[in-house]
Amino acid sequence: MKETEIKGKLVDNETRCVHYQTEKDIVAIKFYCCDSYFPCFKCHEETVSHDIQLWPMNKWNEFAVLCGSCKTELTINQYLTSNSSCPSCGSAFNDKCSLHHHLYFQV
Ligand SMILES: [Zn+2]
Ligand SMILES: [Zn+2]
Ligand SMILES: [Zn+2]
C-alpha cells in the first residue's frame, strides 16, 4: 500500500501535529485547494501561502480524509457520517473536529 504523504507540522506517524495532539487527533484532511493532506487547517495556513478552498458538496464522495491509525482513506461523506470513529479500524476520532467542518467542507 502506498504511503500517503502528509504535509505540515507533524509530530508523530498518526497525523498528530503541533496544534492538535490528543489521543483522538488522528485524522488528516486533504485540502481541495492543493490536493494535499494536512493534519489541520493551521498546518495548512502555516505551510502554504494560499487561502483554503472548501470542498463543494457535490464532491463529498471523493476520498479526502485519512485515518492516522489504520491509514484508510475515507470519503467526506463517510467521515461526516462516521459518528466520530473510523469505519475501518474503529479508532475514535476527535468529535470536536466537527466544530471545524466549515473550515474544510462547504456546508
Ligand atoms: Zn491548499
Ligand atoms: Zn496542525
Ligand atoms: Zn482507521
Side-chain angles (χ1 to χ4, degrees):
M1 198 165 100
K2 125 172 137 50
E3 190 92 348
T4 307
E5 191 200 352
I6 302 168
K7 299 178 180 173
K9 302 182 173 174
L10 294 157
V11 296
D12 70 10
N13 59 10
E14 290 195 319
T15 82
R16 291 183 190 88
C17 67
V18 294
H19 313 101
Y20 297 99
Q21 39 188 279
T22 73
E23 198 183 333
K24 294 181 175 179
D25 288 311
I26 53 165
V27 167
I29 302 209
K30 188 189 274 182
F31 283 76
Y32 185 57
C33 42
C34 43
D35 199 34
S36 306
Y37 274 104
F38 290 89
C40 80
F41 66 96
K42 289 182 189 167
C43 281
H44 179 275
E45 189 177 281
E46 293 169 16
T47 307
V48 300
S49 54
H50 57 254
D51 289 335
I52 291 175
Q53 279 180 38
L54 303 177
W55 280 95
M57 212 177 248
N58 62 4
K59 304 257 187 205
W60 285 11
N61 57 353
E62 302 215 1
F63 290 96
V65 179
L66 182 78
C67 171
S69 182
C70 66
K71 308 290 188 288
T72 297
E73 283 188 277
L74 310 175
T75 67
I76 296 167
N77 276 323
Q78 277 178 318
Y79 173 66
L80 293 178
T81 57
S82 68
N83 238 331
S84 298
S85 67
C86 176
S88 176
C89 71
S91 292
F93 295 152
N94 189 343
D95 47 20
K96 293 209 182 64
C97 287
S98 60
L99 300 173
H100 293 146
H101 282 169
H102 62 280
L103 297 170
Y104 307 102
F105 314 125
Q106 203 168 73
V107 286

